[in-house]
Amino acid sequence: MQPILNSLDVVLQDGFMYSILAMGYYISYSILDFPDLTVEGTVLSGGVVFGLLVKAGVNPYIAVLAAFAAGFLFGGVTGILNVKLKIRPLLCGILVSTALISVNLVCTIVGNGGDFKGDGLSTIDLGRSVPTLTRIFPASELPSDFYGFNMKKLAVFFAMALIFKIITDVFLKTKCGLLLRAAGDNPNYVTMLAKNQGTSKILGLAIGNAYAAVSGALIVQSRGNVNQGIGIGMVVIGLASLIIGLSVFGKVKFMKPTTMVIGGSIIYQASLGIAALLGVPTVYNKIIMAALFTAALIVSGKLKKKRGVERD
Amino acid sequence: MIDFENVYKSFRGSVDETKLFEDFSFHVETGSFVSIIGSNGSGKTTLLNLVCGSVMPDSGKILFDGKDYTAVPEYKRSKTIGRVHQDPKNGTCPELTIVENMALADNKGKRYGFTPAVNKKRIDYYKHLVSECGMGLENRMNVKVGSLSGGQRQALALVIANMTDNKLLVLDEHTAALDPKTSENIMAFTDRIVKGKGITTLMVTHNLRYALEYGDRIVMMHEGKIVLDKAGEEKKALEIDDVLGLFNSISIECGN
């Protein structure tokens, strides 16, 4: 029983942690229909910003906001490449995430006291004394072992997912948010409203990557360290969680898409957790991830077809 | 209201260049309702695109109320232009509800900030607006626009294009994709709106009868030139056979 509870603990933590990334994809992929690869870089950027600031003694909640800002900025660059320079969506993501490999590495090394030539430490370790999200009030008051559940981490990640869910829901109901939905739905409509459709697109990509960076900050919080491999596989985790969520819960009435995405993220992590419980070595994780993603795509494609037939 | 001064516009194909407009000049009076007819490729839609800024001229000037608008981008011109396209999908957002579509349009020309998009107090006003088209849209305010019929969407697009005080209404074959009955309804609804607001209107249509029946000026185009331009009493005296005769003679010239 205990291994199952422990593994459930990890599933929930990771589910909430990555759900913010998936909510970002809800904005850039579902709403704007932009397959954004930038997150491979921005997740790590968020982690680096968070790790460096927290290690320097900055309040970790402020460090999360700083990670958000960094992601917002880099996502905006992707948007500008696409809108102003007319570069294809996939290439924009590849360009920015490739450039970010250097940016993230240099920031990590310099933040660690190394030099701009790249000589120095490329990892950040949040040692036992660093005040992270779980080590300051209010999470610090919670038990770290409650029937196998780490309540500190669980509460922090759940609260973060909930906050971003609420922010997203409220944002999408504002004038700015509705205009963003219109930009994804029918860009002509935005032009007819005398607004520049490109601006909405740039904003959407900035928000999507800001969310990805917050996920990155939480990954660093969870692992207690930053290494340069954190971003790998994030596109698949984010998109698969999103698509699983929307296709599994798509028919549930009155359920907000953001809630579906959190559900999807938990289902995705649970599948990985089950594989681990069954004794599949973690080196096979990425294959399982890709297989899950493929399955999700097939299922959601079939559902879409079904709905399309019904509508016509 | 609108002036085209010596406009040139050509389109580059893969092998050749088609010169559509050469030294083209055109004037529209404020408050007039102009119907534009012509065969495919005659330049009707390009004329509308030049007015709205979706297509930019190679040279020449386009003036609005005497001001040079030639270099003003499409989205900025939209502040004073309402446009309805041929495709009903074009004038609305299918994933948004009627209320959400209208709330967005209601805010045209203002800032799209972080205040709630839908103002509940305005919903009765929106209902009143859509009830005038007589399609029962007022009872489906929270339905996604994508699930409405083409005619209903086009009626909604017309209402939306006229929600704010525009100076110009541009109709690009806006009844062409509809069945004959719905097409009649939409055309009559269009006429009520145009007459009610007294708004300057440019309407491209393939329906010669509409062109004669509605509006106070008729323009026929052919290969980028105006071949017929009648307004007022002269237009009223035109019979459908006169127009059809001219239309056919042009088409025969082209070998159609």
Side-chain angles (χ1 to χ4, degrees), chain A residues 179-197:
Chain A
L179 194 68
L180 188 79
R181 286 166 63 195
D185 205 14
N186 178 4
N188 267 330
Y189 196 68
V190 177
T191 308
M192 283 195 274
L193 296 173
K195 283 279 152 188
N196 190 343
Q197 58 186 67

Side-chain angles (χ1 to χ4, degrees), chain A residues 171 173-179 181-182 185-186 188-196 311, chain B residues 75 78-79 83 89-96 100-101 105 107-108 112-113 115 117 160:
Chain A
F171 169 71
K173 293 238 174 256
T174 64
K175 287 179 178 137
C176 183
L178 202 56
L179 194 68
R181 286 166 63 195
D185 205 14
N186 178 4
N188 267 330
Y189 196 68
V190 177
T191 308
M192 283 195 274
L193 296 173
K195 283 279 152 188
N196 190 343
R311 197 183 283 168
Chain B
Y75 75 91
S78 298
K79 259 182 199 157
R83 188 174 189 179
K89 291 190 185 80
N90 231 325
T92 45
C93 285
E95 284 295 314
L96 306 186
E100 286 170 331
N101 268 282
N107 196 51
K108 178 168 145 179
Y112 286 82
T115 48
I160 281 171

Side-chain angles (χ1 to χ4, degrees), chain A residues 222-233:
Chain A
S222 176
R223 294 189 186 175
N225 63 65
V226 179
N227 72 61
Q228 302 297 317
I230 281 179
I232 298 168

Side-chain angles (χ1 to χ4, degrees), chain A:
Chain A
M1 197 60 201
Q2 197 57 38
I4 294 177
L5 286 181
N6 280 334
S7 138
L8 186 62
D9 180 36
V10 174
V11 164
L12 287 176
Q13 281 176 30
D14 287 356
F16 292 133
M17 184 163 93
Y18 289 114
S19 70
I20 299 172
L21 167 69
M23 281 185 247
Y25 259 134
Y26 176 69
I27 291 173
S28 61
Y29 184 75
S30 295
I31 294 183
L32 287 180
D33 198 20
F34 193 106
D36 184 20
L37 301 183
T38 323
V39 300
E40 295 269 322
T42 41
V43 166
L44 176 57
S45 300
V48 170
V49 168
F50 177 80
L52 287 175
L53 290 180
V54 168
K55 206 176 174 189
V58 174
N59 179 300
Y61 286 97
I62 294 187
V64 170
L65 284 180
F68 183 93
F72 193 89
L73 183 74
F74 298 138
V77 173
T78 301
I80 288 167
L81 287 179
N82 175 248
V83 171
K84 303 283 178 201
L85 305 178
K86 318 269 181 229
I87 299 173
R88 285 167 186 237
L90 284 177
L91 289 177
C92 294
I94 291 172
L95 288 173
V96 176
S97 59
T98 304
L100 283 178
I101 295 174
S102 288
V103 173
N104 291 331
L105 190 56
V106 170
C107 287
T108 310
I109 291 169
V110 172
N112 271 326
D115 64 18
F116 281 101
K117 283 187 207 151
D119 296 327
L121 205 56
S122 68
T123 58
I124 306 165
D125 192 21
L126 304 181
R128 288 178 176 277
S129 58
V130 176
T132 58
L133 289 169
T134 50
R135 290 183 194 135
I136 65 161
F137 186 79
S140 55
E141 304 300 310
L142 294 166
S144 56
D145 188 6
F146 182 77
Y147 297 107
F149 289 93
N150 183 337
M151 295 309 283
K152 287 182 203 280
K153 276 188 175 181
L154 204 52
V156 164
F157 293 159
F158 173 71
M160 281 290 178
L162 188 65
I163 289 169
F164 276 87
K165 176 201 138 52
I166 293 170
I167 290 176
T168 314
D169 290 343
V170 171
F171 169 71
L172 290 176
K173 293 238 174 256
T174 64
K175 287 179 178 137
C176 183
L178 202 56
L179 194 68
L180 188 79
R181 286 166 63 195
D185 205 14
N186 178 4
N188 267 330
Y189 196 68
V190 177
T191 308
M192 283 195 274
L193 296 173
K195 283 279 152 188
N196 190 343
Q197 58 186 67
T199 313
S200 285
K201 207 169 187 183
I202 295 171
L203 177 71
L205 287 166
I207 295 174
N209 282 287
Y211 281 33
V214 169
S215 263
L218 297 186
I219 294 169
V220 168
Q221 164 72 47
S222 176
R223 294 189 186 175
N225 63 65
V226 179
N227 72 61
Q228 302 297 317
I230 281 179
I232 298 168
M234 288 303 144
V235 169
V236 171
I237 295 184
L239 279 178
S241 303
L242 170 73
I243 289 166
I244 290 172
L246 295 185
S247 46
V248 169
F249 302 108
K251 293 231 157 153
V252 184
K253 273 191 182 168
F254 305 115
M255 189 169 183
K256 291 235 163 68
T258 42
T259 317
M260 298 179 190
V261 168
I262 296 177
S265 179
I266 291 172
I267 294 176
Y268 182 81
Q269 295 301 330
S271 315
L272 288 180
I274 290 168
L277 277 180
L278 294 175
V280 181
T282 52
V283 285
Y284 291 100
N285 263 5
K286 303 279 173 186
I287 293 186
I288 298 173
M289 279 162 66
L292 277 173
F293 188 24
T294 313
L297 283 174
I298 293 168
V299 171
S300 87
K302 278 199 176 142
L303 285 178
K304 251 186 207 158
K305 227 177 177 181
K306 231 176 165 183
R307 273 178 220 149
V309 171
E310 276 167 15
R311 197 183 283 168
D312 291 336

Side-chain angles (χ1 to χ4, degrees), chain B residues 66-227:
Chain B
K67 272 177 263 168
D68 189 354
Y69 261 54
T70 317
V72 176
E74 184 179 10
Y75 75 91
K76 285 191 181 157
R77 291 190 206 185
S78 298
K79 259 182 199 157
T80 52
I81 301 178
R83 188 174 189 179
V84 183
H85 293 82
Q86 177 179 3
D87 186 354
K89 291 190 185 80
N90 231 325
T92 45
C93 285
E95 284 295 314
L96 306 186
T97 64
I98 297 184
V99 168
E100 286 170 331
N101 268 282
M102 294 183 85
L104 273 176
D106 201 13
N107 196 51
K108 178 168 145 179
K110 296 189 203 125
R111 227 173 70 83
Y112 286 82
F114 294 102
T115 48
V118 178
N119 179 351
K120 293 226 162 63
K121 288 178 195 152
R122 298 284 284 173
I123 292 180
D124 281 335
Y125 168 65
Y126 299 160
K127 279 188 180 171
H128 165 72
L129 284 181
V130 292
S131 70
E132 287 181 357
C133 70
M135 289 190 170
L137 289 176
E138 62 276 15
N139 302 321
R140 310 188 65 188
M141 297 302 282
N142 289 314
V143 166
K144 278 187 184 172
V145 171
S147 62
L148 301 178
S149 71
Q152 288 173 323
R153 285 182 73 165
Q154 207 63 326
L156 180 63
L158 254 177
V159 171
I160 281 171
N162 288 287
M163 274 183 83
T164 41
D165 285 321
N166 297 319
K167 288 182 179 162
L168 177 69
L169 177 62
V170 171
L171 306 168
D172 187 359
E173 295 180 41
H174 71 303
T175 61
L178 309 174
D179 68 64
K181 180 89 178 30
T182 314
S183 169
E184 292 284 343
N185 287 343
I186 293 290
M187 200 52 234
F189 181 46
T190 307
D191 199 46
R192 288 205 297 279
I193 290 179
V194 173
K195 286 202 174 119
K197 291 201 142 196
I199 185 172
T200 314
T201 305
L202 286 180
M203 175 174 78
V204 160
T205 179
H206 274 303
N207 190 320
L208 299 183
R209 195 167 58 72
Y210 288 166
L212 284 171
E213 203 171 310
Y214 299 97
D216 47 28
R217 181 176 165 196
I218 185 167
V219 169
M220 189 191 284
M221 297 190 66
H222 179 61
E223 292 180 342
K225 291 182 187 66
I226 293 174
V227 291

